[in-house]
PDB file of all heavy atoms in Angstrom:
ATOM      1  N   SER A 273      -0.810  29.558 -10.343  1.00  0.00           N
ATOM      2  CA  SER A 273      -0.294  29.235 -11.671  1.00  0.00           C
ATOM      3  C   SER A 273       0.960  30.061 -12.005  1.00  0.00           C
ATOM      4  O   SER A 273       1.083  31.229 -11.580  1.00  0.00           O
ATOM      5  CB  SER A 273      -1.355  29.505 -12.724  1.00  0.00           C
ATOM      6  OG  SER A 273      -2.454  28.633 -12.556  1.00  0.00           O
ATOM      7  N   ALA A 274       1.860  29.489 -12.785  1.00  0.00           N
ATOM      8  CA  ALA A 274       3.086  30.133 -13.270  1.00  0.00           C
ATOM      9  C   ALA A 274       4.066  30.481 -12.129  1.00  0.00           C
ATOM     10  O   ALA A 274       4.964  31.312 -12.286  1.00  0.00           O
ATOM     11  CB  ALA A 274       2.792  31.410 -14.061  1.00  0.00           C
ATOM     12  N   ALA A 275       3.876  29.809 -10.979  1.00  0.00           N
ATOM     13  CA  ALA A 275       4.811  30.013  -9.838  1.00  0.00           C
ATOM     14  C   ALA A 275       6.130  29.241 -10.001  1.00  0.00           C
ATOM     15  O   ALA A 275       7.051  29.390  -9.203  1.00  0.00           O
ATOM     16  CB  ALA A 275       4.170  29.646  -8.527  1.00  0.00           C
ATOM     17  N   SER A 276       6.173  28.378 -11.064  1.00  0.00           N
ATOM     18  CA  SER A 276       7.339  27.605 -11.347  1.00  0.00           C
ATOM     19  C   SER A 276       7.799  26.789 -10.117  1.00  0.00           C
ATOM     20  O   SER A 276       6.939  26.203  -9.444  1.00  0.00           O
ATOM     21  CB  SER A 276       8.502  28.506 -11.866  1.00  0.00           C
ATOM     22  OG  SER A 276       9.557  27.743 -12.386  1.00  0.00           O
ATOM     23  N   HIS A 277       9.084  26.792  -9.807  1.00  0.00           N
ATOM     24  CA  HIS A 277       9.610  25.955  -8.685  1.00  0.00           C
ATOM     25  C   HIS A 277       9.919  26.845  -7.511  1.00  0.00           C
ATOM     26  O   HIS A 277      10.845  26.574  -6.718  1.00  0.00           O
ATOM     27  CB  HIS A 277      10.877  25.238  -9.195  1.00  0.00           C
ATOM     28  CG  HIS A 277      11.336  24.127  -8.285  1.00  0.00           C
ATOM     29  ND1 HIS A 277      12.255  23.215  -8.693  1.00  0.00           N
ATOM     30  CD2 HIS A 277      11.022  23.806  -7.002  1.00  0.00           C
ATOM     31  CE1 HIS A 277      12.516  22.364  -7.727  1.00  0.00           C
ATOM     32  NE2 HIS A 277      11.795  22.719  -6.681  1.00  0.00           N
ATOM     33  N   SER A 278       9.198  27.952  -7.348  1.00  0.00           N
ATOM     34  CA  SER A 278       9.501  28.880  -6.261  1.00  0.00           C
ATOM     35  C   SER A 278       9.052  28.273  -4.924  1.00  0.00           C
ATOM     36  O   SER A 278       8.109  27.520  -4.849  1.00  0.00           O
ATOM     37  CB  SER A 278       8.770  30.213  -6.491  1.00  0.00           C
ATOM     38  OG  SER A 278       7.411  30.022  -6.544  1.00  0.00           O
ATOM     39  N   TYR A 333      -2.502  23.066 -20.466  1.00  0.00           N
ATOM     40  CA  TYR A 333      -1.336  22.216 -20.816  1.00  0.00           C
ATOM     41  C   TYR A 333      -0.071  22.723 -20.072  1.00  0.00           C
ATOM     42  O   TYR A 333       0.106  23.899 -19.817  1.00  0.00           O
ATOM     43  CB  TYR A 333      -1.081  22.285 -22.318  1.00  0.00           C
ATOM     44  CG  TYR A 333      -2.145  21.724 -23.214  1.00  0.00           C
ATOM     45  CD1 TYR A 333      -2.424  22.296 -24.457  1.00  0.00           C
ATOM     46  CD2 TYR A 333      -2.877  20.599 -22.798  1.00  0.00           C
ATOM     47  CE1 TYR A 333      -3.351  21.753 -25.324  1.00  0.00           C
ATOM     48  CE2 TYR A 333      -3.856  20.098 -23.653  1.00  0.00           C
ATOM     49  CZ  TYR A 333      -4.073  20.649 -24.891  1.00  0.00           C
ATOM     50  OH  TYR A 333      -5.051  20.147 -25.741  1.00  0.00           O
ATOM     51  N   ASN A 334       0.852  21.787 -19.844  1.00  0.00           N
ATOM     52  CA  ASN A 334       2.195  22.102 -19.417  1.00  0.00           C
ATOM     53  C   ASN A 334       3.143  21.303 -20.286  1.00  0.00           C
ATOM     54  O   ASN A 334       3.604  20.224 -19.931  1.00  0.00           O
ATOM     55  CB  ASN A 334       2.339  21.734 -17.926  1.00  0.00           C
ATOM     56  CG  ASN A 334       1.736  22.779 -16.998  1.00  0.00           C
ATOM     57  OD1 ASN A 334       2.044  23.950 -17.128  1.00  0.00           O
ATOM     58  ND2 ASN A 334       0.821  22.402 -16.161  1.00  0.00           N
ATOM     59  N   VAL A 335       3.414  21.920 -21.418  1.00  0.00           N
ATOM     60  CA  VAL A 335       4.297  21.299 -22.436  1.00  0.00           C
ATOM     61  C   VAL A 335       5.131  22.385 -23.026  1.00  0.00           C
ATOM     62  O   VAL A 335       4.987  23.591 -22.805  1.00  0.00           O
ATOM     63  CB  VAL A 335       3.503  20.583 -23.538  1.00  0.00           C
ATOM     64  CG1 VAL A 335       2.764  19.376 -23.032  1.00  0.00           C
ATOM     65  CG2 VAL A 335       2.501  21.573 -24.169  1.00  0.00           C
ATOM     66  N   ALA A 336       6.079  21.940 -23.893  1.00  0.00           N
ATOM     67  CA  ALA A 336       6.945  22.847 -24.679  1.00  0.00           C
ATOM     68  C   ALA A 336       7.751  23.745 -23.733  1.00  0.00           C
ATOM     69  O   ALA A 336       7.908  23.437 -22.556  1.00  0.00           O
ATOM     70  CB  ALA A 336       6.095  23.657 -25.669  1.00  0.00           C
ATOM     71  N   SER A 337       8.209  24.866 -24.210  1.00  0.00           N
ATOM     72  CA  SER A 337       9.041  25.717 -23.375  1.00  0.00           C
ATOM     73  C   SER A 337       8.260  26.329 -22.215  1.00  0.00           C
ATOM     74  O   SER A 337       8.840  26.815 -21.235  1.00  0.00           O
ATOM     75  CB  SER A 337       9.697  26.805 -24.221  1.00  0.00           C
ATOM     76  OG  SER A 337       8.706  27.608 -24.873  1.00  0.00           O
ATOM     77  N   ASP A 338       6.929  26.326 -22.352  1.00  0.00           N
ATOM     78  CA  ASP A 338       6.067  26.873 -21.271  1.00  0.00           C
ATOM     79  C   ASP A 338       6.241  26.116 -19.985  1.00  0.00           C
ATOM     80  O   ASP A 338       5.914  26.661 -18.918  1.00  0.00           O
ATOM     81  CB  ASP A 338       4.587  26.828 -21.699  1.00  0.00           C
ATOM     82  CG  ASP A 338       4.300  27.670 -22.932  1.00  0.00           C
ATOM     83  OD1 ASP A 338       5.192  27.948 -23.692  1.00  0.00           O
ATOM     84  OD2 ASP A 338       3.107  27.980 -23.112  1.00  0.00           O
ATOM     85  N   ILE A 339       6.777  24.917 -20.030  1.00  0.00           N
ATOM     86  CA  ILE A 339       6.864  24.117 -18.808  1.00  0.00           C
ATOM     87  C   ILE A 339       7.845  24.762 -17.812  1.00  0.00           C
ATOM     88  O   ILE A 339       7.790  24.498 -16.617  1.00  0.00           O
ATOM     89  CB  ILE A 339       7.394  22.683 -19.170  1.00  0.00           C
ATOM     90  CG1 ILE A 339       7.058  21.728 -18.043  1.00  0.00           C
ATOM     91  CG2 ILE A 339       8.870  22.647 -19.519  1.00  0.00           C
ATOM     92  CD1 ILE A 339       7.349  20.265 -18.361  1.00  0.00           C
ATOM     93  N   GLN A 340       8.731  25.668 -18.282  1.00  0.00           N
ATOM     94  CA  GLN A 340       9.606  26.395 -17.371  1.00  0.00           C
ATOM     95  C   GLN A 340       8.866  27.225 -16.342  1.00  0.00           C
ATOM     96  O   GLN A 340       9.376  27.470 -15.262  1.00  0.00           O
ATOM     97  CB  GLN A 340      10.531  27.244 -18.170  1.00  0.00           C
ATOM     98  CG  GLN A 340      11.457  26.473 -19.132  1.00  0.00           C
ATOM     99  CD  GLN A 340      12.238  27.414 -20.007  1.00  0.00           C
ATOM    100  OE1 GLN A 340      13.353  27.780 -19.698  1.00  0.00           O
ATOM    101  NE2 GLN A 340      11.651  27.761 -21.160  1.00  0.00           N
ATOM    102  N   TYR A 341       7.686  27.687 -16.724  1.00  0.00           N
ATOM    103  CA  TYR A 341       6.875  28.551 -15.818  1.00  0.00           C
ATOM    104  C   TYR A 341       5.883  27.750 -14.934  1.00  0.00           C
ATOM    105  O   TYR A 341       5.359  28.191 -13.993  1.00  0.00           O
ATOM    106  CB  TYR A 341       6.058  29.560 -16.630  1.00  0.00           C
ATOM    107  CG  TYR A 341       6.842  30.387 -17.594  1.00  0.00           C
ATOM    108  CD1 TYR A 341       6.747  30.141 -18.959  1.00  0.00           C
ATOM    109  CD2 TYR A 341       7.693  31.389 -17.153  1.00  0.00           C
ATOM    110  CE1 TYR A 341       7.497  30.893 -19.867  1.00  0.00           C
ATOM    111  CE2 TYR A 341       8.462  32.123 -18.044  1.00  0.00           C
ATOM    112  CZ  TYR A 341       8.332  31.863 -19.400  1.00  0.00           C
ATOM    113  OH  TYR A 341       9.046  32.613 -20.295  1.00  0.00           O
ATOM    114  N   SER A 342       5.721  26.473 -15.317  1.00  0.00           N
ATOM    115  CA  SER A 342       4.627  25.660 -14.709  1.00  0.00           C
ATOM    116  C   SER A 342       4.908  25.362 -13.250  1.00  0.00           C
ATOM    117  O   SER A 342       5.943  24.787 -12.865  1.00  0.00           O
ATOM    118  CB  SER A 342       4.523  24.353 -15.483  1.00  0.00           C
ATOM    119  OG  SER A 342       3.710  23.419 -14.750  1.00  0.00           O
ATOM    120  N   ALA A 343       3.943  25.719 -12.389  1.00  0.00           N
ATOM    121  CA  ALA A 343       4.015  25.333 -11.004  1.00  0.00           C
ATOM    122  C   ALA A 343       3.623  23.907 -10.765  1.00  0.00           C
ATOM    123  O   ALA A 343       3.916  23.264  -9.758  1.00  0.00           O
ATOM    124  CB  ALA A 343       3.191  26.295 -10.125  1.00  0.00           C
ATOM    125  N   THR A 344       2.817  23.355 -11.697  1.00  0.00           N
ATOM    126  CA  THR A 344       2.511  21.896 -11.667  1.00  0.00           C
ATOM    127  C   THR A 344       3.773  21.119 -11.835  1.00  0.00           C
ATOM    128  O   THR A 344       4.026  20.207 -11.069  1.00  0.00           O
ATOM    129  CB  THR A 344       1.491  21.550 -12.765  1.00  0.00           C
ATOM    130  OG1 THR A 344       0.335  22.370 -12.642  1.00  0.00           O
ATOM    131  CG2 THR A 344       1.093  20.075 -12.752  1.00  0.00           C
ATOM    132  N   ALA A 345       4.543  21.440 -12.832  1.00  0.00           N
ATOM    133  CA  ALA A 345       5.846  20.776 -13.042  1.00  0.00           C
ATOM    134  C   ALA A 345       6.802  21.165 -11.904  1.00  0.00           C
ATOM    135  O   ALA A 345       7.606  20.339 -11.452  1.00  0.00           O
ATOM    136  CB  ALA A 345       6.427  21.171 -14.382  1.00  0.00           C
ATOM    137  N   GLY A 346       6.753  22.373 -11.463  1.00  0.00           N
ATOM    138  CA  GLY A 346       7.606  22.834 -10.378  1.00  0.00           C
ATOM    139  C   GLY A 346       7.443  22.042  -9.153  1.00  0.00           C
ATOM    140  O   GLY A 346       8.433  21.657  -8.449  1.00  0.00           O
ATOM    141  N   ALA A 347       6.187  21.706  -8.785  1.00  0.00           N
ATOM    142  CA  ALA A 347       5.899  20.896  -7.644  1.00  0.00           C
ATOM    143  C   ALA A 347       6.474  19.489  -7.832  1.00  0.00           C
ATOM    144  O   ALA A 347       7.024  18.880  -6.898  1.00  0.00           O
ATOM    145  CB  ALA A 347       4.440  20.829  -7.385  1.00  0.00           C
ATOM    146  N   PHE A 349       9.087  18.712  -9.672  1.00  0.00           N
ATOM    147  CA  PHE A 349      10.517  18.861  -9.542  1.00  0.00           C
ATOM    148  C   PHE A 349      10.935  19.012  -8.140  1.00  0.00           C
ATOM    149  O   PHE A 349      12.018  18.540  -7.694  1.00  0.00           O
ATOM    150  CB  PHE A 349      11.033  20.054 -10.402  1.00  0.00           C
ATOM    151  CG  PHE A 349      11.207  19.698 -11.833  1.00  0.00           C
ATOM    152  CD1 PHE A 349      10.560  20.522 -12.834  1.00  0.00           C
ATOM    153  CD2 PHE A 349      11.959  18.656 -12.251  1.00  0.00           C
ATOM    154  CE1 PHE A 349      10.754  20.223 -14.186  1.00  0.00           C
ATOM    155  CE2 PHE A 349      12.139  18.361 -13.569  1.00  0.00           C
ATOM    156  CZ  PHE A 349      11.555  19.152 -14.578  1.00  0.00           C
ATOM    157  N   ILE A 393      11.400  13.851 -13.877  1.00  0.00           N
ATOM    158  CA  ILE A 393       9.965  13.682 -13.556  1.00  0.00           C
ATOM    159  C   ILE A 393       9.239  13.137 -14.803  1.00  0.00           C
ATOM    160  O   ILE A 393       9.796  13.216 -15.933  1.00  0.00           O
ATOM    161  CB  ILE A 393       9.263  14.968 -13.110  1.00  0.00           C
ATOM    162  CG1 ILE A 393       9.196  15.976 -14.240  1.00  0.00           C
ATOM    163  CG2 ILE A 393       9.966  15.553 -11.870  1.00  0.00           C
ATOM    164  CD1 ILE A 393       8.284  17.174 -14.015  1.00  0.00           C
ATOM    165  N   ASN A 395       5.995  13.636 -17.202  1.00  0.00           N
ATOM    166  CA  ASN A 395       5.061  14.700 -17.513  1.00  0.00           C
ATOM    167  C   ASN A 395       3.989  14.166 -18.441  1.00  0.00           C
ATOM    168  O   ASN A 395       4.304  13.654 -19.542  1.00  0.00           O
ATOM    169  CB  ASN A 395       5.728  15.881 -18.232  1.00  0.00           C
ATOM    170  CG  ASN A 395       4.910  17.086 -18.308  1.00  0.00           C
ATOM    171  OD1 ASN A 395       4.123  17.418 -17.452  1.00  0.00           O
ATOM    172  ND2 ASN A 395       5.077  17.822 -19.414  1.00  0.00           N
ATOM    173  N   VAL A 415      10.488  17.386 -25.041  1.00  0.00           N
ATOM    174  CA  VAL A 415       9.901  18.667 -24.777  1.00  0.00           C
ATOM    175  C   VAL A 415      10.136  19.579 -25.990  1.00  0.00           C
ATOM    176  O   VAL A 415      11.288  19.781 -26.427  1.00  0.00           O
ATOM    177  CB  VAL A 415      10.506  19.332 -23.506  1.00  0.00           C
ATOM    178  CG1 VAL A 415       9.892  20.717 -23.284  1.00  0.00           C
ATOM    179  CG2 VAL A 415      10.254  18.436 -22.300  1.00  0.00           C
ATOM    180  N   SER A 416       9.048  20.148 -26.539  1.00  0.00           N
ATOM    181  CA  SER A 416       9.169  21.000 -27.640  1.00  0.00           C
ATOM    182  C   SER A 416       9.960  22.287 -27.286  1.00  0.00           C
ATOM    183  O   SER A 416       9.741  22.845 -26.173  1.00  0.00           O
ATOM    184  CB  SER A 416       7.798  21.393 -28.208  1.00  0.00           C
ATOM    185  OG  SER A 416       7.871  22.419 -29.134  1.00  0.00           O
ATOM    186  N   ARG A 417      10.734  22.806 -28.166  1.00  0.00           N
ATOM    187  CA  ARG A 417      11.454  24.024 -27.967  1.00  0.00           C
ATOM    188  C   ARG A 417      10.593  25.252 -28.277  1.00  0.00           C
ATOM    189  O   ARG A 417      10.996  26.402 -28.013  1.00  0.00           O
ATOM    190  CB  ARG A 417      12.719  24.102 -28.814  1.00  0.00           C
ATOM    191  CG  ARG A 417      13.790  23.072 -28.402  1.00  0.00           C
ATOM    192  CD  ARG A 417      14.494  23.500 -27.140  1.00  0.00           C
ATOM    193  NE  ARG A 417      15.147  24.791 -27.261  1.00  0.00           N
ATOM    194  CZ  ARG A 417      15.668  25.436 -26.218  1.00  0.00           C
ATOM    195  NH1 ARG A 417      15.557  24.952 -24.987  1.00  0.00           N
ATOM    196  NH2 ARG A 417      16.335  26.608 -26.396  1.00  0.00           N
ATOM    197  N   LEU A 418       9.405  24.994 -28.826  1.00  0.00           N
ATOM    198  CA  LEU A 418       8.518  26.126 -29.179  1.00  0.00           C
ATOM    199  C   LEU A 418       7.617  26.389 -27.984  1.00  0.00           C
ATOM    200  O   LEU A 418       7.953  26.083 -26.843  1.00  0.00           O
ATOM    201  CB  LEU A 418       7.736  25.689 -30.402  1.00  0.00           C
ATOM    202  CG  LEU A 418       8.620  25.446 -31.664  1.00  0.00           C
ATOM    203  CD1 LEU A 418       7.757  24.990 -32.834  1.00  0.00           C
ATOM    204  CD2 LEU A 418       9.512  26.609 -31.998  1.00  0.00           C
ATOM    205  N   MET A 419       6.503  27.077 -28.222  1.00  0.00           N
ATOM    206  CA  MET A 419       5.635  27.505 -27.108  1.00  0.00           C
ATOM    207  C   MET A 419       4.196  27.318 -27.475  1.00  0.00           C
ATOM    208  O   MET A 419       3.823  27.386 -28.669  1.00  0.00           O
ATOM    209  CB  MET A 419       5.947  28.939 -26.753  1.00  0.00           C
ATOM    210  CG  MET A 419       5.747  29.950 -27.856  1.00  0.00           C
ATOM    211  SD  MET A 419       6.565  31.537 -27.565  1.00  0.00           S
ATOM    212  CE  MET A 419       8.334  31.102 -27.780  1.00  0.00           C
ATOM    213  N   VAL A 420       3.344  27.183 -26.467  1.00  0.00           N
ATOM    214  CA  VAL A 420       1.892  27.079 -26.667  1.00  0.00           C
ATOM    215  C   VAL A 420       1.311  28.443 -26.969  1.00  0.00           C
ATOM    216  O   VAL A 420       0.446  28.634 -27.818  1.00  0.00           O
ATOM    217  CB  VAL A 420       1.206  26.418 -25.464  1.00  0.00           C
ATOM    218  CG1 VAL A 420      -0.242  26.300 -25.727  1.00  0.00           C
ATOM    219  CG2 VAL A 420       1.822  25.028 -25.209  1.00  0.00           C
ATOM    220  N   ASP A 453       6.194  16.718 -27.159  1.00  0.00           N
ATOM    221  CA  ASP A 453       4.985  16.698 -26.319  1.00  0.00           C
ATOM    222  C   ASP A 453       3.869  17.531 -26.963  1.00  0.00           C
ATOM    223  O   ASP A 453       2.698  17.096 -27.047  1.00  0.00           O
ATOM    224  CB  ASP A 453       5.294  17.143 -24.915  1.00  0.00           C
ATOM    225  CG  ASP A 453       6.081  18.493 -24.843  1.00  0.00           C
ATOM    226  OD1 ASP A 453       6.297  19.161 -25.823  1.00  0.00           O
ATOM    227  OD2 ASP A 453       6.472  18.868 -23.697  1.00  0.00           O
ATOM    228  N   VAL A 467      10.993  14.587 -18.215  1.00  0.00           N
ATOM    229  CA  VAL A 467      11.554  15.914 -18.267  1.00  0.00           C
ATOM    230  C   VAL A 467      12.699  15.993 -17.278  1.00  0.00           C
ATOM    231  O   VAL A 467      12.564  15.571 -16.112  1.00  0.00           O
ATOM    232  CB  VAL A 467      10.485  17.016 -17.983  1.00  0.00           C
ATOM    233  CG1 VAL A 467      11.112  18.376 -18.118  1.00  0.00           C
ATOM    234  CG2 VAL A 467       9.323  16.897 -18.911  1.00  0.00           C
ATOM    235  N   ARG A 468      13.830  16.479 -17.709  1.00  0.00           N
ATOM    236  CA  ARG A 468      14.991  16.581 -16.863  1.00  0.00           C
ATOM    237  C   ARG A 468      15.074  17.903 -16.124  1.00  0.00           C
ATOM    238  O   ARG A 468      14.721  18.923 -16.672  1.00  0.00           O
ATOM    239  CB  ARG A 468      16.260  16.392 -17.692  1.00  0.00           C
ATOM    240  CG  ARG A 468      16.381  15.089 -18.402  1.00  0.00           C
ATOM    241  CD  ARG A 468      16.698  13.969 -17.461  1.00  0.00           C
ATOM    242  NE  ARG A 468      17.954  14.132 -16.741  1.00  0.00           N
ATOM    243  CZ  ARG A 468      18.391  13.337 -15.798  1.00  0.00           C
ATOM    244  NH1 ARG A 468      17.692  12.309 -15.413  1.00  0.00           N
ATOM    245  NH2 ARG A 468      19.554  13.575 -15.186  1.00  0.00           N
ATOM    246  N   ASN A 469      15.487  17.853 -14.887  1.00  0.00           N
ATOM    247  CA  ASN A 469      15.771  19.026 -14.086  1.00  0.00           C
ATOM    248  C   ASN A 469      17.193  19.517 -14.366  1.00  0.00           C
ATOM    249  O   ASN A 469      17.832  19.094 -15.336  1.00  0.00           O
ATOM    250  CB  ASN A 469      15.550  18.717 -12.620  1.00  0.00           C
ATOM    251  CG  ASN A 469      15.191  19.909 -11.768  1.00  0.00           C
ATOM    252  OD1 ASN A 469      15.422  21.057 -12.199  1.00  0.00           O
ATOM    253  ND2 ASN A 469      14.598  19.694 -10.629  1.00  0.00           N
ATOM    254  N   ILE A 470      17.726  20.403 -13.556  1.00  0.00           N
ATOM    255  CA  ILE A 470      19.022  21.039 -13.792  1.00  0.00           C
ATOM    256  C   ILE A 470      20.174  20.015 -13.598  1.00  0.00           C
ATOM    257  O   ILE A 470      21.286  20.286 -14.003  1.00  0.00           O
ATOM    258  CB  ILE A 470      19.230  22.255 -12.893  1.00  0.00           C
ATOM    259  CG1 ILE A 470      19.134  21.853 -11.408  1.00  0.00           C
ATOM    260  CG2 ILE A 470      18.219  23.330 -13.229  1.00  0.00           C
ATOM    261  CD1 ILE A 470      19.508  22.982 -10.449  1.00  0.00           C
TER     262      ILE A 470
END
Side-chain angles (χ1 to χ4, degrees):
S273 295
S276 189
H277 194 166
S278 60
Y333 295 148
N334 282 305
V335 292
S337 60
D338 296 23
I339 200 172
Q340 297 172 92
Y341 308 107
S342 167
T344 303
F349 278 127
I393 67 168
N395 191 37
V415 178
S416 170
R417 293 286 298 171
L418 301 178
M419 60 197 71
V420 180
D453 51 6
V467 181
R468 298 287 299 175
N469 206 340
I470 58 174

